[in-house]
RNA sequence: GCCGAUAUAGCUCAGUUGGCCAGAGCAGCUGAUUUGUAAUCAGCCGGUCGGCGGUUCGAAUCCGUCUAUCGGCUCCA
């Protein structure tokens, strides 16, 4: 007998070899029907895999992450089976479940390819195979035997895959006519899969290395009910409506021009006003935290970047130097502001009493991004960082770092970014050649970040290989409308640039010491931050940020004069307001301004002129009643104060 | 940069197997209407069908190439 501990800590005894499905059946038929996988001591098991030892046990449905994993992984196998059936001679690489479905990387035979027109055929084949309710059968095979099988089959991909596995036995799963090397877990049978949709195809380098051959990656998604698929597709449609590229155009926030160049955003007046307000908001916070503004040019001598290490790291892959005609000087567009700020630090000697120094600049930088990488406002070639560099003594580092975390958290809270994740980005453990500086400096910097994050109680994940080339980072990540994660805020500890720029201060001992640098950008970049903000708010910006808080809608042209009077009074009370004086019916004006997401509409007609009042309508909600002009400006003031609290 | 796809008016889209002057709605302009909580009516303006080259008697439509965009991969100081 074995002891099974349920999530609520109750313990039951079962015969050894019982399956998760049997246990579920023992609880209720309905649960057994909805279960797709089970958890056994933290590992995800097939429903039908025998459990042979005492275990902490959990049943997962499709709604659970662990359930989806088994479901989509099984779907990937199903898709592979369909592809094998439709494309003779195809070779398979791997097919995992991912965030929103699954994919399979395949190598199609010479001259064959899959296009979007083939998707329905593939879907049909998959459903046909699903309806056969073929069982997913787990089988352990000795490594040598598996190797022999695939060598004879001439499948170099699977041979490579097995070669990288530990010796001993290897697990295979078979369903219908399809057998695949796989760790599992899987569904009991293909009949669980009721709805499938092939989403897209893409090239994907074998093993993620661009030197390798590019395989074809087929993305799909599947569900246990047709209804869930429909809901998912509808959700995607909704998400598309929030896309900052679409809203940016509709709300006239920014644009691109192929004449100006790809990845070089042009901010339109409304977007510029929004951005300016964000900048002012941060400037105010930074002033409170003791930052001082600095301003530096957009280019710098090549030598500056040789000193900083940027040139050695990125010189060949960046915009090429700008040369002066007569003297043959070489300048680079600045990829970062830190070298300039280091030279500001060096402009005069410093005492330990001066530190910390906090230099802040909304600095525009230019980076060569590969053309295929550009993406709306989230990935561009010219962008403005809300940058600052803190130069401090080693004993001040932790306190300063924590203060920066506070700024980031305050900003995220003010803008309702609740679902962010924090990531400690460290060096690639296996390849230190990508970074500058001594191990000792790196160790100190990493320790400082880990300690400060722990002290603030941040729930961090560690990502190796994500550090900046000069130091480790604490990154704040936020998801966009379609679930892609973007790095926004970043805080970086750097012992290396101070060495390279020979930064010094005189200590109380009258000796020269080296300061530590913190690089930080709470927004990350104005471009990316605004992009994510647009998607989070669906263009309905908070009142304090939006460039137009209210619009006055005269019922007819007869009331334009009163509207002007109202506008003047509200403008004096710092309400950002305009008038829709067009010769249109109120219904039309309301509709147009609803679409423009103006938070409040102030309707004025006969009644309002008589009572010296406004009829207030809230965007998305409708009529909220009559107010006097003063009442309305107070109302806006209160709302703004609340938002910024 | 790589794989796949897309590009028609300011915006959203039609345009059948290549065939006379390339269409619609919205926006814009003009006029009528003076309007009460999500679209008043009429007229007008607007496109070298992304650029260039080719095939053809004839190209928005077929082919090549360049540019830009979209979905991924790789990259991301």
């Amino acid at each position: 007998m074995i002891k099974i501990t349920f999530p609520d800590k109750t313990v039951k005894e079962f015969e050894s070899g019982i399956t998760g499905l049997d246990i579920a059946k023992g609880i209720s038929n309905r649960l057994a029907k909805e279960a797709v996988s089970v958890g056994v001591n933290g590992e995800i098991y097939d429903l039908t895999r025998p459990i042979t030892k005492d275990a902490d046990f959990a049943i997962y449905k499709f709604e659970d992450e662990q359930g989806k994993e088994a479901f989509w992984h099984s779907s990937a196998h199903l898709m592979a089976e369909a592809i094998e059936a439709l494309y003779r001679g195809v070779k398979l690489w791997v097919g995992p479940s991912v965030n929103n479905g699954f994919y399979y990387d395949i190598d199609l035979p010479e001259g064959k390819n899959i296009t979007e027109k083939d998707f329905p055929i593939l879907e049909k084949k998959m459903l046909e195979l699903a309806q056969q309710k073929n069982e997913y059968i787990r089988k352990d095979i000795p490594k040598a035997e598996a190797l022999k099988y695939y060598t004879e089959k001439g499948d170099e991909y699977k041979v490579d895959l097995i070669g990288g596995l530990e010796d001993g036995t290897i697990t295979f799963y078979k369903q219908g006519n399809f057998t695949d090397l796989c760790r599992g877990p899987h569904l009991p049978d293909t009949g669980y899969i009721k709805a499938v949709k092939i989403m897209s195809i893409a090239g994907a380098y074998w093993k993620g290395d661009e030197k390798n051959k590019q395989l074809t990656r087929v993305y799909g998604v599947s569900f246990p009910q047709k209804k869930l698929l429909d809901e998912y597709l509808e959700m995607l449609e909704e998400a598309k409506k929030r896309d900052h590229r679409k809203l940016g155009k509709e709300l006239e926030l920014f644009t691109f021009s192929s004449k100006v160049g790809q990845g070089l955003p042009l901010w339109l007046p409304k977007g510029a006003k929004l951005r300016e307000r964000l900048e002012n908001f941060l400037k105010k916070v930074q002033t409170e935290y003791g930052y001082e503004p600095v301003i530096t040019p957009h280019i710098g001598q090549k030598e500056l970047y040789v000193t900083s290490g940027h040139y050695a790291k990125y010189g060949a892959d960046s915009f090429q130097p700008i040369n002066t005609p007569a003297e043959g000087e070489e300048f680079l567009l600045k990829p970062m502001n830190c070298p300039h700020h280091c030279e500001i630090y060096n402009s005069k000697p410093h005492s330990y009493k001066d530190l910390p120094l906090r230099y802040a600049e909304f600095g525009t930088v230019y980076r060569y991004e590969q053309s295929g990488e550009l993406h709306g406002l989230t990935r561009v070639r010219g962008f403005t960082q809300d940058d600052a560099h803190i130069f401090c003594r080693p004993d001040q580092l932790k306190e300063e770092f924590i203060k920066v975390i506070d700024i980031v958290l305050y900003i995220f809270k003010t803008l309702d970014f609740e679902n962010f994740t924090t990531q400690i980005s460290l060096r690639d453990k296996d390849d230190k050649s990508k970074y500058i500086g001594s191990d000792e400096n790196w160790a100190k910097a990493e320790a400082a970040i880990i300690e400060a994050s722990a002290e603030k109680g941040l729930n961090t994940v560690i990502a190796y290989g994500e550090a900046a080339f000069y130091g480790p980072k604490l990154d704040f990540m936020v998801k966009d409308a379609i679930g892609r994660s973007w790095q926004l805020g970043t805080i970086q500890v750097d012992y290396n640039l101070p060495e390279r720029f020979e930064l010094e201060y005189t200590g109380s001992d009258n000796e020269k010491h080296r300061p530590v640098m913190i690089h930080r950008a709470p927004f990350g970049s104005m471009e990316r931050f605004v992009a994510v903000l647009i998607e989070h708010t669906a263009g309905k910006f908070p009142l304090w940020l939006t460039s137009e808080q209210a619009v006055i809608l005269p019922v007819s042209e007869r009331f334009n004069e009163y509207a002007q009077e109202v506008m003047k009074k509200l403008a004096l009370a710092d309400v950002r307001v305009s008038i829709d004086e067009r010769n249109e019916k109120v219904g039309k004006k309301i509709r147009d301004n609803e679409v423009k997401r103006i938070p409040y509409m102030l309707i004025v007609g006969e009644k309002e002129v008589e009572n010296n009042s406004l009829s207030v309508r809230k965007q998305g909600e409708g009529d909220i009643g009559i107010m006097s002009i003063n009442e309305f400006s107070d109302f806006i003031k209160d709302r703004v104060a609340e938002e910024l609290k």
Side-chain angles (χ1 to χ4, degrees), chain A residues 462-479:
Chain A
I462 291 190
Y464 291 97
E466 296 292 317
F469 77 94
Y470 49 77
K473 318 187 279 177
L474 175 64
D475 293 326
F476 293 77
M477 331 277 289
V478 176
K479 283 191 177 142

Side-chain angles (χ1 to χ4, degrees), chain A residues 5-231:
Chain A
T5 310
F6 290 88
D8 64 358
K9 298 294 169 216
T10 57
V11 180
K12 272 193 195 168
E13 291 213 344
F14 292 95
E15 297 242 357
S16 176
I18 191 162
T19 66
L21 189 59
D22 289 333
I23 298 176
K25 274 181 187 157
I27 299 169
S28 85
N29 273 331
R30 184 169 172 179
L31 183 62
K33 245 179 126 177
E34 288 181 7
V36 292
S37 66
V38 292
V40 174
N41 291 326
E43 202 182 326
I44 308 176
Y45 264 44
D46 310 317
L47 276 177
T48 50
R49 181 169 169 190
I51 303 165
T52 53
K53 53 185 185 246
D54 292 355
D56 285 325
F57 180 78
I59 295 174
Y60 299 126
K61 301 180 191 174
F62 179 75
E63 297 95 273
D64 300 306
E65 205 179 303
Q66 296 89 337
K68 282 196 173 76
E69 192 179 318
F71 196 93
W72 283 337
H73 192 170
S74 300
S75 303
H77 278 227
L78 182 67
M79 182 170 77
E81 185 183 1
I83 289 172
E84 270 197 346
L86 294 169
Y87 300 86
R88 207 172 289 274
V90 67
K91 285 176 190 168
L92 303 169
W93 170 234
V94 291
S97 71
V98 286
N99 270 345
N100 293 307
F102 56 88
Y103 68 77
Y104 218 110
D105 281 351
I106 61 174
D107 186 10
L108 287 161
E110 219 33 54
K112 289 231 173 173
N113 67 336
I114 297 184
T115 70
E116 278 170 36
K117 290 181 198 76
D118 303 318
F119 290 0
I121 302 163
L122 191 49
E123 286 160 9
K124 202 176 145 221
K125 188 74 189 173
M126 281 176 75
L127 286 175
E128 187 186 310
L129 292 168
Q131 278 156 14
Q132 292 173 7
K133 296 192 178 163
N134 295 316
E135 285 176 47
Y136 287 92
I137 302 157
R138 185 188 164 91
K139 197 174 169 192
D140 289 328
I141 290 174
K143 180 171 169 175
E145 199 180 305
L147 213 48
K148 186 162 163 259
Y149 170 72
Y150 278 119
T151 309
E152 280 169 8
K153 205 178 162 192
D155 191 331
E156 67 269 27
Y157 299 109
K158 292 294 179 187
V159 169
D160 184 275
L161 200 59
I162 294 169
L165 294 176
E166 280 178 29
D167 290 340
T169 59
I170 287 169
T171 312
F172 278 78
Y173 276 84
K174 178 173 190 291
Q175 97 268 3
N177 293 319
F178 179 75
T179 305
D180 198 10
L181 165 69
C182 180
R183 163 169 12 99
H186 284 291
L187 298 166
D189 67 68
T190 58
Y192 280 66
I193 301 164
K194 303 281 196 224
V196 299
K197 179 92 186 159
I198 305 301
M199 302 301 289
S200 63
I201 43 173
Y205 299 109
W206 183 44
K207 292 188 183 179
D209 187 335
E210 62 182 324
K211 290 185 198 78
N212 286 341
K213 177 170 184 181
Q214 199 158 45
L215 306 177
T216 303
R217 177 169 295 179
V218 187
Y219 280 91
V221 69
S222 63
F223 293 91
Q225 292 166 45
K226 174 78 166 63
K227 192 182 77 171
L228 291 174
L229 172 62
D230 295 339
E231 281 170 14

Side-chain angles (χ1 to χ4, degrees), chain A residues 242-245 247-248 253-254 265 267 271 274-283 285 362 375-380 382-387 407-421 475-481 484-490 520-539 541-542 544-545 644:
Chain A
R242 302 169 78 96
D243 191 311
H244 76 277
R245 292 166 297 189
L247 286 172
L253 299 171
F254 60 89
W267 292 78
L274 178 80
R275 168 172 158 175
E276 196 173 51
R277 215 158 273 119
L278 267 176
E279 288 179 357
N280 290 340
F281 163 69
L282 181 58
K283 275 181 191 165
V285 176
F362 285 88
H375 182 96
L377 231 38
T378 49
R379 193 84 185 268
V380 288
F383 57 96
T384 302
Q385 296 180 306
D386 54 327
D387 210 358
I407 294 179
V408 177
L409 294 179
Y410 171 69
I411 288 169
F412 280 27
K413 186 180 134 253
T414 305
L415 288 159
D416 286 330
F417 283 4
E418 281 153 9
N419 294 320
F420 61 89
T421 55
D475 293 326
F476 293 77
M477 331 277 289
V478 176
K479 283 191 177 142
D480 69 10
R484 283 181 287 213
S485 201
W486 296 96
Q487 177 207 305
L488 295 179
T490 179
R520 44 109 282 174
F523 293 147
S525 81
M526 300 315 294
E527 285 73 9
R528 184 177 287 179
F529 194 85
V530 167
V532 174
L533 184 66
I534 291 169
E535 306 207 347
H536 269 243
T537 57
F541 302 113
W544 69 271
L545 254 186
L644 290 174

Side-chain angles (χ1 to χ4, degrees), chain A residues 565-584:
Chain A
E565 200 182 309
V566 171
M567 180 162 83
K568 262 180 216 150
K569 285 185 181 161
L570 287 175
L572 277 175
D574 288 327
V575 178
R576 299 190 286 275
V577 63
S578 66
I579 306 178
D580 188 343
E581 284 190 320
R582 292 175 305 162
N583 180 7
E584 295 286 353

